[in-house]
Amino acid sequence: MTSRTPIEKPMRADALRNRNAIIAAARHAFAEQGLQVPLDEIARRAGVGEATLHRRFPDRESLIAAAFSDKMADYADAATQALADPDPWAGFCGYVRRVCAMQSGDRGFAELLTLTFAATNPAIEDLEGRRARAYRDWVTIVRRAKASGHLRTDFHPDDMILLLMANAGVVAATAGIAPHAWQRIVEYLLQAFTTEHARELPAPPQRGALLRAMHRSQQTAG
């Protein structure tokens, strides 16, 4: 006897159109309102019924994974490019600027960076795997920048969470009025991170507390 691997049938053209429309609508809705936007709102934007949405994406986590697959790849790529930069300090600054830029235009992505998923499926596992790899690369980016003598020695990798929280506040307060104001606060902070401006700092908060605080701030933002 021989075993045969089932061949997945290609998606019908109308089903593929619906799937793509749902993903596009989810990306826009998550960016504007965060990850808890009602699924019926996404279905309405996509021009499909809720039943169609649930047929394509049985749970919110599956839809999040599909909507943010490309952006999480960009997030991981930002860390890879920073590590490839022959100048560790330039790599550090480039990474911070790029991630803050990604955050500035997407409230859902900012939430995604701190969200823990309860559901387990291959799409979510891949998303979390990329996020975990990016964080490990970030730790290496920080270590290289310190070794170069440019980054203050008491900078902690989790200080990035504080930076993202500060950036989120500026983005929320200036949206539609001064949309590029976040760039100024990021540059201020990058200058403060240098050894030239190093002064004694209070101890950093625990990572778990920071993640909970950032997630709460995103849930209550505008």
Side-chain angles (χ1 to χ4, degrees):
M1 295 180 64
T2 59
S3 60
R4 295 182 178 178
T5 302
I7 299 175
E8 186 176 347
K9 294 181 180 179
M11 195 176 295
R12 297 195 321 267
D14 58 338
L16 182 60
R17 283 196 301 271
N18 286 340
R19 185 180 189 279
N20 291 339
I22 292 167
I23 291 175
R27 285 173 176 164
H28 285 99
F30 289 149
E32 294 171 2
Q33 302 179 38
L35 298 181
Q36 297 306 313
V37 60
L39 295 182
D40 60 349
E41 166 69 9
I42 294 174
R44 184 190 64 78
R45 292 188 183 206
V48 302
E50 286 188 66
T52 298
L53 185 149
H54 287 292
R55 189 159 54 246
R56 301 271 72 88
F57 302 99
D59 50 45
R60 182 179 296 271
E61 289 75 15
S62 297
L63 181 55
I64 288 173
F68 287 100
S69 177
D70 291 345
K71 199 151 194 177
M72 188 58 73
D74 290 342
Y75 176 62
D77 182 63
T80 300
Q81 289 192 18
L83 287 176
D85 196 312
D87 183 337
W89 176 243
F92 175 92
C93 293
Y95 177 83
V96 169
R97 292 180 182 121
R98 184 168 171 182
V99 173
C100 286
M102 293 173 72
Q103 178 200 34
S104 70
D106 195 329
R107 178 177 169 184
F109 179 71
E111 291 181 20
L112 182 64
L113 295 181
T114 61
L115 189 64
T116 299
F117 292 99
T120 56
N121 61 53
I124 287 297
E125 291 172 0
D126 179 67
L127 203 69
E128 293 208 301
R130 291 181 182 182
R131 182 172 62 177
R133 287 193 297 274
Y135 179 76
R136 290 194 296 269
D137 285 345
W138 165 240
V139 172
T140 303
I141 292 166
V142 169
R143 186 169 61 246
R144 291 176 69 238
K146 288 182 180 180
S148 74
H150 289 86
L151 179 62
R152 54 189 302 155
T153 59
D154 57 355
F155 182 92
H156 192 282
D158 289 345
D159 285 335
M160 184 67 174
I161 300 173
L162 290 174
L163 191 158
L164 290 173
M165 290 177 68
N167 191 45
V170 173
V171 168
T174 60
I177 301 172
H180 303 296
W182 66 269
Q183 296 175 350
R184 186 171 178 85
I185 191 66
V186 169
E187 293 305 317
Y188 268 131
L189 291 171
L190 284 174
Q191 291 181 32
F193 295 157
T194 63
T195 53
E196 179 184 355
H197 299 284
R199 302 289 186 274
E200 186 176 358
L201 294 173
Q206 293 184 347
R207 177 173 173 77
L210 280 175
L211 292 174
R212 289 193 300 273
M214 184 176 181
H215 186 57
R216 182 179 64 185
S217 70
Q218 292 295 336
Q219 290 294 315
T220 58

